[in-house]
Amino acid sequence: MELAFVAPRLVSAPVGTVPSLPWRRVTKADSQIELGSATLATAATACALSAKANRRWLRKSRRHSVRVRRCAVEELRKMVHLGGTPAEKALAVNLDDKFYGSFAEIGAGQEVSRTFLQAGAAAGTVARSISAYDMKMSDVNYGQAKRYVTRERLEQMLNTEYDLVEKTLRKQRGDDACFFAFATTVAAKAYNSDRECEGWVGLTYQSKPGEERSTVILHIRMSQPTAQLQGEAIGVLGTNLIYLCKGLSDPYLITSFLLDGMALSDEPGGGGRIEVDYVDFKGPPFQSVDPRLLAFRLIQLRIANGVILQPDSNGNYKMAVPNNFLYKCPVIVERSRFKPVTFMHTEVLEATERKLRSEGGEDKPPLSVMNLQIDDLTVPVSWQETKVRLDRMKEIYAADTYRDGKLSMEEFTALVDGSLSQEETRSIFNELSMGGDSISVDALMNITNGDDSVLASDFIDRMELLQELNYPILLSNIKRTHQLVRYISRYTNRQIIIALGGGGFSLQRALFDPKSYTNEEGGMLRAFGNLFESRSTRIFTYPSIDEVGNVMPCSLPEGNEQQLYTYLESIGSILPLGNAFVGAEARDPKTNQRFRFGSDAVMKLIEEGSPDWEKYVPKEVVEKCKSHKWFSRLQSGIQISPRTYEFLNNLKS
């Protein structure tokens, strides 16, 4: 990437070179010049300013030396049909007759190809549309398959369709054509059946003429009540996927707008919507894609309520499909924000495992999962709508007067336009810039996954601390325990055990506070009814260990809530873990020091500068903590306050 001095009024190319990258539009006096694929002649003309302007530029250029790059906001501005109808997006694709391919859709009608066929100018895009609905007919086209709604079947369809288009039409269409194959295989709502409605959606395509093929694969879950509504939703999703992949090469941006134009629901655990809970990008435009950040984008923007991240043999985390990962497994779940993960977290899980194994009755060992809650990093429901996001983008982009992809303190102050006090403005600017002199425009839009994004950095810090323990991770924005159980029970009919306790854990605060159910229909009693709807769902509570090592039962709720707790314990829905299942080291006051503090207490020690925090955190996690921005911010006092998170999610509202 070329380096250049970026000044408020001029861009200068390195002497003797012709820039190979696109150059930004930069304000010059009262007009604008576009360097584009700049030539030396253009650059020389641009430099022919008055002597006074040149001196001013030289002074400013010393302060504004940056790496020239096109920010994600500028990429999005090219996608003029975002927020529009599927027909508008399909027509935009159809009008480019160099993007040409095949549609193969099985299980929910042919809504995607129908959108392109009805939008107009379909001859520019559609080579053929097929739906081999009968399994034997499908086998004739794509080969034998053990199961038909699988990733393997989708890949068979994509490869067969793409190869056919390439073999049949390359000579006719020429080397400058970009071919594609779109495919779906889904189990939509069936007559007289209550099976899980899910499926696979994929696109194999050339992003540039002559380039090797790229592939994007999605797993979806459909909760609309009828097959017709499910088919219509897939029509919107599939059209979005084709439109986005044709116009963008950033996998995080593509993921962010998959549900553009679709009715969304904030019902935790799903309901009345389509969810994308797995995405995979492969091909030349998608080098070094981080599955963790793709998962973060799915949860942050409420495209899914939960995403499974599973470690491979090398400790690298990849997305797993919930249907497959949790299928008919007894599941133990521990919920937390894990800031940071402590010895107590692992001890609670291990004690719960010991108890469940002692009971027997399961033909599979329990699957222990850490539920990383990022509801504090999730955007509000209203911000899901594309129009709201694009309006916000225009506002932020307009504030970037130098067009360098960053906002100075002066530009940031103009952006907030008096909605914050001067003190709040300075404080939030300092936090978002991480003590620097500018804030990334992309970071303010929540569309970047780099180090300049407070939200993405916070998430990755939490993830990497957890990864050291090598547990599967359920990433979610689900706030309430009964909602989490409803989510997991979609995929397994075995026991679901919620592991709680340890450290300064409070049952009253976590489960029995009536105020926390104010927005729940039916309040706390209905929530508990939903939580224990199946007798295979139970809560195991780990005892408390105080600061001198005494092991005591978990503190009980107070008042009327204690009667509810007593009842639930009496019927076995809540089970306190006795000493028989607490680890020997944790039981003994002489050896249990490292189990005495939970995350909140450890954070306080770090904030105070006490080295004692290291006693309560696994050794491998200690080193990770020290290398992360979350830790350095906590130590320096430049924490990301709740007010700043609120500002990011509700800019100027």
Side-chain angles (χ1 to χ4, degrees):
M1 193 173 282
E2 303 285 349
L3 290 177
F5 288 118
V6 180
R9 300 181 184 274
L10 181 65
V11 173
S12 171
V15 177
T17 65
V18 177
S20 58
L21 296 178
W23 289 74
R24 292 181 272 95
R25 188 180 297 275
V26 181
T27 302
K28 173 183 176 296
D30 296 325
S31 63
Q32 289 188 321
I33 59 172
E34 177 75 23
L35 292 183
S37 298
T39 63
L40 293 178
T42 305
T45 302
C47 290
L49 302 173
S50 67
K52 181 177 180 181
N54 272 320
R55 287 194 298 272
R56 184 166 59 248
W57 168 74
L58 287 171
R59 287 196 304 271
K60 290 183 177 291
S61 68
R62 296 187 182 100
R63 299 196 301 270
H64 292 276
S65 179
V66 298
R67 187 177 295 272
V68 174
R69 62 179 176 87
R70 184 174 292 278
C71 64
V73 167
E74 290 178 319
E75 292 298 303
L76 277 182
R77 291 178 75 237
K78 299 186 302 183
M79 307 298 289
V80 296
H81 298 289
L82 277 178
T85 66
E88 290 170 341
K89 295 168 192 166
L91 178 58
V93 175
N94 285 347
L95 291 175
D96 182 358
D97 61 2
K98 297 299 182 183
F99 194 69
Y100 199 67
S102 174
F103 295 79
E105 301 171 77
I106 300 176
Q110 293 181 276
E111 297 294 343
V112 180
S113 58
R114 182 179 294 115
T115 300
F116 282 84
L117 289 167
Q118 293 180 345
T125 295
V126 183
R128 79 165 180 170
S129 171
I130 185 172
S131 180
Y133 198 82
D134 185 276
M135 287 185 286
K136 289 187 177 181
M137 294 300 293
S138 180
D139 288 346
V140 169
N141 281 289
Y142 307 117
Q144 295 290 323
K146 294 181 180 179
R147 295 171 58 207
Y148 290 85
V149 183
T150 62
R151 175 174 180 150
E152 291 71 24
R153 189 49 155 189
L154 180 78
E155 290 176 332
Q156 286 178 318
M157 295 168 68
L158 289 171
N159 291 333
T160 300
E161 294 294 327
Y162 185 91
D163 290 343
L164 180 62
V165 172
E166 180 72 45
K167 179 181 178 181
T168 307
L169 300 175
R170 176 58 68 190
K171 185 175 180 180
Q172 173 188 339
R173 288 275 168 173
D175 293 338
D176 59 343
C178 291
F179 289 148
F180 73 87
F182 173 83
T184 66
T185 175
V186 302
K189 182 72 174 176
Y191 174 72
N192 201 26
S193 172
D194 60 355
R195 69 183 179 185
E196 174 78 6
C197 297
E198 50 98 21
W200 294 86
V201 177
L203 178 69
T204 291
Y205 69 106
Q206 289 176 291
S207 64
K208 295 178 182 178
E211 191 172 68
E212 290 296 315
R213 68 182 72 177
S214 298
T215 300
V216 183
I217 290 178
L218 317 176
H219 180 266
I220 63 173
R221 181 185 183 273
M222 303 165 289
S223 54
Q224 295 88 345
T226 67
Q228 179 182 349
L229 291 174
Q230 291 175 0
E232 290 172 0
I234 292 171
V236 177
L237 173 66
T239 303
N240 286 342
L241 179 63
I242 295 170
Y243 174 73
L244 290 164
C245 287
K246 183 180 180 299
L248 296 171
S249 60
D250 184 329
Y252 309 108
L253 288 183
I254 292 171
T255 300
S256 297
F257 290 93
L258 286 172
L259 300 190
D260 175 32
M262 199 173 299
L264 302 177
S265 167
D266 188 42
E267 182 185 349
R273 58 170 293 181
I274 197 169
E275 292 179 67
V276 181
D277 56 19
Y278 174 94
V279 295
D280 187 26
F281 290 82
K282 292 181 179 177
F286 308 127
Q287 303 302 313
S288 303
V289 178
D290 190 336
R292 303 170 305 170
L293 288 169
L294 289 174
F296 170 63
R297 185 65 72 226
L298 291 174
I299 299 300
Q300 183 197 25
L301 297 175
R302 302 176 185 270
I303 298 168
N305 286 305
V307 175
I308 300 288
L309 288 160
Q310 182 181 17
D312 61 19
S313 57
N314 297 317
N316 298 316
Y317 276 70
K318 303 290 180 64
M319 276 191 247
V321 178
N323 302 49
N324 302 332
F325 183 75
L326 298 171
Y327 183 68
K328 291 187 177 180
C329 284
V331 180
I332 298 172
V333 185
E334 183 175 19
R335 311 190 69 203
S336 178
R337 289 178 179 163
F338 299 105
K339 294 180 67 175
V341 63
T342 66
F343 284 115
M344 181 53 71
H345 287 121
T346 55
E347 167 62 14
V348 170
L349 268 184
E350 290 167 3
T352 303
E353 291 170 1
R354 288 190 284 268
K355 169 58 179 171
L356 194 57
R357 283 195 298 266
S358 75
E359 296 178 349
E362 292 286 359
D363 57 352
K364 289 184 178 181
L367 177 63
S368 293
V369 177
M370 287 184 157
N371 174 209
L372 175 55
Q373 298 169 259
I374 59 166
D375 52 292
D376 56 324
L377 305 180
T378 304
V379 301
V381 180
S382 61
W383 202 70
Q384 290 173 284
E385 295 184 17
T386 300
K387 183 180 184 304
V388 175
R389 295 162 68 188
L390 293 179
D391 287 345
R392 173 176 174 164
M393 180 186 77
K394 293 173 184 176
E395 198 170 18
I396 296 172
Y397 187 77
D400 179 17
T401 55
Y402 294 159
R403 293 293 182 266
D404 59 357
K406 298 180 181 296
L407 297 187
S408 65
M409 179 63 184
E410 180 183 1
E411 291 169 320
F412 182 73
T413 301
L415 175 67
V416 300
D417 191 26
S419 60
L420 302 173
S421 68
Q422 290 185 353
E423 183 179 352
E424 281 183 313
T425 301
R426 284 193 298 270
S427 175
I428 291 177
F429 181 87
N430 192 42
E431 290 180 20
L432 292 179
S433 67
M434 300 182 189
D437 59 2
S438 63
I439 303 172
S440 162
V441 168
D442 291 347
L444 279 176
M445 269 293 296
N446 285 333
I447 57 174
T448 180
N449 293 289
D451 289 341
D452 56 356
S453 169
V454 167
L455 300 183
S457 294
D458 193 332
F459 164 71
I460 284 296
D461 284 358
R462 296 189 209 180
M463 267 296 302
E464 293 194 343
L465 299 183
L466 267 185
Q467 285 177 211
E468 293 298 316
L469 305 182
N470 212 42
Y471 279 94
I473 295 171
L474 168 58
L475 186 66
S476 80
N477 58 24
I478 300 171
K479 292 184 177 182
R480 308 304 311 175
T481 303
H482 68 280
Q483 295 162 348
L484 174 66
V485 168
R486 180 169 52 187
Y487 173 83
I488 296 173
S489 61
R490 295 177 185 171
Y491 309 114
T492 183
N493 57 2
R494 302 297 181 88
Q495 293 194 72
I496 300 173
I497 308 298
I498 306 298
L500 301 176
F505 180 80
S506 167
L507 269 174
Q508 179 79 36
R509 184 178 67 248
L511 287 176
F512 289 89
D513 182 5
K515 295 179 182 177
S516 65
Y517 297 95
T518 302
N519 296 324
E520 292 285 336
E521 185 179 353
M524 186 170 69
L525 286 179
R526 181 170 179 177
F528 273 101
N530 290 333
L531 173 59
F532 297 115
E533 182 177 4
S534 169
R535 292 301 297 269
S536 63
T537 298
R538 290 183 290 167
I539 291 176
F540 289 2
T541 61
Y542 189 89
S544 295
I545 303 175
D546 67 18
E547 294 187 19
V548 295
N550 297 316
V551 181
M552 303 167 292
C554 187
S555 61
L556 301 183
E558 300 175 351
N560 293 332
E561 287 72 42
Q562 189 175 110
Q563 299 178 48
L564 176 59
Y565 170 86
T566 301
Y567 168 73
L568 292 171
E569 184 181 340
S570 71
I571 64 173
S573 294
I574 297 180
L575 179 67
L577 293 174
N579 282 346
F581 305 104
V582 175
E585 184 182 1
R587 284 198 306 268
D588 188 347
K590 296 178 182 178
T591 58
N592 67 7
Q593 182 181 26
R594 64 179 182 166
F595 301 104
R596 298 175 188 175
F597 278 20
S599 294
D600 290 344
V602 170
M603 282 184 67
K604 187 173 181 181
L605 289 175
I606 296 172
E607 194 173 4
E608 293 171 350
S610 171
D612 289 344
W613 70 272
E614 297 186 28
K615 299 176 184 177
Y616 310 103
V617 177
K619 183 178 179 181
E620 59 270 26
V621 178
V622 168
E623 297 307 315
K624 282 283 185 182
C625 281
K626 292 179 178 179
S627 66
H628 283 72
K629 290 185 177 181
W630 165 81
F631 180 83
S632 60
R633 287 197 301 262
L634 190 60
Q635 274 199 320
S636 64
I638 309 179
Q639 296 184 58
I640 305 304
S641 63
R643 180 71 180 92
T644 298
Y645 282 122
E646 181 185 354
F647 172 82
L648 278 173
N649 288 330
N650 299 279
L651 184 61
K652 299 195 75 174
S653 65

